[in-house]
Every structure is written in structure tokens, then in C-alpha cells.
Amino acid sequence: MSALIFSDSHGSLSGMCAAIERHTPDTVLHLGDCARDAERLADYYPTLTIHSVSGNCDFVTTTPDARVIVYHGHKLLLTHGHRHGVKRSLRLLAEAAAVCHCEWAFFGHTHIAHRSAINGVTLCNPGSIAVPRSGPCSYGQLDDYDGALDFIVLPL
């Protein structure tokens, strides 16, 4: 079982659809910019579990800008990251995740793939599925290996 993680799709579904067809995940996490894209994915894949948050380019939406979910027994914080200042530092994001008792925090906004850990919280950014700032378009894959999660970034 795996989840695919997308961010910063900015109105483009083609990369997300290609990744979904390639991996057939059980879950998709969409980290904002464009929350409407997650809604459109749900129309195309009605049996797929999709969790999404809004980003700084999502002006008219009822989608929250952060949420906590449980995935295979692990608490994950999902956010776009703009309200946590992720372009300057990841400390606020790590603190927000710790307050929610999350082991993992997933964010976008920078359009650059990233993985690090601060104070026991693993911080992951899948990069941008449509408008990368460094390297190719990318997305993340979160896999459950006998109860342990692992995150990798994949090029489109």
C-alpha cells in the first residue's frame, strides 16, 4: 500500500494522472496550489482516498490550509507551508507537527523536493508536479513497510 503526494499542480492534472496510473496508490495527498485539482482528481478516480489542503494560490475554497490525518497508524500533518514560513525555515512547521503529535509533516510551496528531520519530526516536500524550481517535475511516494513509513521523491 502506498500514497502518492503531490504539490503545486497549478491547474495541471496530467502529471498527477500519469503517476496514479503508474503506481495505483490507495491514497493521494495533495498539498495545495491548486486545491481544485484535488477535487478534479476525485472526479476521475472516485474510489481513491484523497486528502487535500489549500495553498497560497487557492483564493476561494473551503479546503482547510492544514489538516492532520492518520495513515497506516501514523499521524501526518498536511499543509502547503506558506503559513509556516517554509521558504525561510522549517522550524515552525516542525513545531506545529509536534504540537499535533505528528511524526511526519508534508508541505509544498517551495516547488523544491526536500526531506529532513527536526526534533523527531520528518519533514517532506515532494517538489512540484507541474512547475518545478529545481530539477524535473516530481512527486512523492509514501510506503508502509511492516508498520514503518518511508518517503521517496520520484521524477515525473
PDB file of all heavy atoms in Angstrom, residues 57-63:
ATOM      1  N   CYS A  57      -2.195  30.108  -3.393  1.00  0.00           N
ATOM      2  CA  CYS A  57      -2.861  30.474  -4.654  1.00  0.00           C
ATOM      3  C   CYS A  57      -4.318  30.007  -4.696  1.00  0.00           C
ATOM      4  O   CYS A  57      -4.979  30.162  -5.718  1.00  0.00           O
ATOM      5  CB  CYS A  57      -2.094  29.900  -5.850  1.00  0.00           C
ATOM      6  SG  CYS A  57      -0.479  30.647  -6.077  1.00  0.00           S
ATOM      7  N   ASP A  58      -4.813  29.442  -3.616  1.00  0.00           N
ATOM      8  CA  ASP A  58      -6.204  28.978  -3.527  1.00  0.00           C
ATOM      9  C   ASP A  58      -7.017  30.052  -2.821  1.00  0.00           C
ATOM     10  O   ASP A  58      -7.074  30.102  -1.597  1.00  0.00           O
ATOM     11  CB  ASP A  58      -6.278  27.652  -2.760  1.00  0.00           C
ATOM     12  CG  ASP A  58      -5.637  26.516  -3.520  1.00  0.00           C
ATOM     13  OD1 ASP A  58      -5.990  26.331  -4.693  1.00  0.00           O
ATOM     14  OD2 ASP A  58      -4.787  25.818  -2.937  1.00  0.00           O
ATOM     15  N   PHE A  59      -7.617  30.936  -3.614  1.00  0.00           N
ATOM     16  CA  PHE A  59      -8.273  32.107  -3.046  1.00  0.00           C
ATOM     17  C   PHE A  59      -9.700  31.846  -2.590  1.00  0.00           C
ATOM     18  O   PHE A  59     -10.126  32.343  -1.570  1.00  0.00           O
ATOM     19  CB  PHE A  59      -8.235  33.262  -4.049  1.00  0.00           C
ATOM     20  CG  PHE A  59      -6.830  33.608  -4.460  1.00  0.00           C
ATOM     21  CD1 PHE A  59      -6.392  33.356  -5.754  1.00  0.00           C
ATOM     22  CD2 PHE A  59      -5.934  34.127  -3.552  1.00  0.00           C
ATOM     23  CE1 PHE A  59      -5.094  33.652  -6.134  1.00  0.00           C
ATOM     24  CE2 PHE A  59      -4.630  34.428  -3.911  1.00  0.00           C
ATOM     25  CZ  PHE A  59      -4.208  34.189  -5.215  1.00  0.00           C
ATOM     26  N   VAL A  60     -10.470  31.089  -3.336  1.00  0.00           N
ATOM     27  CA  VAL A  60     -11.866  30.818  -2.986  1.00  0.00           C
ATOM     28  C   VAL A  60     -12.014  29.307  -2.838  1.00  0.00           C
ATOM     29  O   VAL A  60     -12.190  28.592  -3.815  1.00  0.00           O
ATOM     30  CB  VAL A  60     -12.830  31.352  -4.074  1.00  0.00           C
ATOM     31  CG1 VAL A  60     -14.267  31.061  -3.678  1.00  0.00           C
ATOM     32  CG2 VAL A  60     -12.603  32.828  -4.312  1.00  0.00           C
ATOM     33  N   THR A  61     -11.919  28.845  -1.587  1.00  0.00           N
ATOM     34  CA  THR A  61     -12.008  27.410  -1.345  1.00  0.00           C
ATOM     35  C   THR A  61     -12.470  27.153   0.085  1.00  0.00           C
ATOM     36  O   THR A  61     -12.247  27.983   0.968  1.00  0.00           O
ATOM     37  CB  THR A  61     -10.648  26.708  -1.580  1.00  0.00           C
ATOM     38  OG1 THR A  61     -10.805  25.305  -1.379  1.00  0.00           O
ATOM     39  CG2 THR A  61      -9.575  27.228  -0.652  1.00  0.00           C
ATOM     40  N   THR A  62     -13.112  26.049   0.285  1.00  0.00           N
ATOM     41  CA  THR A  62     -13.480  25.629   1.632  1.00  0.00           C
ATOM     42  C   THR A  62     -12.489  24.585   2.167  1.00  0.00           C
ATOM     43  O   THR A  62     -12.636  24.106   3.286  1.00  0.00           O
ATOM     44  CB  THR A  62     -14.902  25.027   1.651  1.00  0.00           C
ATOM     45  OG1 THR A  62     -14.949  23.921   0.752  1.00  0.00           O
ATOM     46  CG2 THR A  62     -15.936  26.070   1.256  1.00  0.00           C
ATOM     47  N   THR A  63     -11.485  24.267   1.369  1.00  0.00           N
ATOM     48  CA  THR A  63     -10.463  23.307   1.766  1.00  0.00           C
ATOM     49  C   THR A  63      -9.579  23.940   2.844  1.00  0.00           C
ATOM     50  O   THR A  63      -9.102  25.061   2.666  1.00  0.00           O
ATOM     51  CB  THR A  63      -9.599  22.906   0.552  1.00  0.00           C
ATOM     52  OG1 THR A  63     -10.459  22.417  -0.479  1.00  0.00           O
ATOM     53  CG2 THR A  63      -8.589  21.833   0.920  1.00  0.00           C
TER      54      THR A  63
END
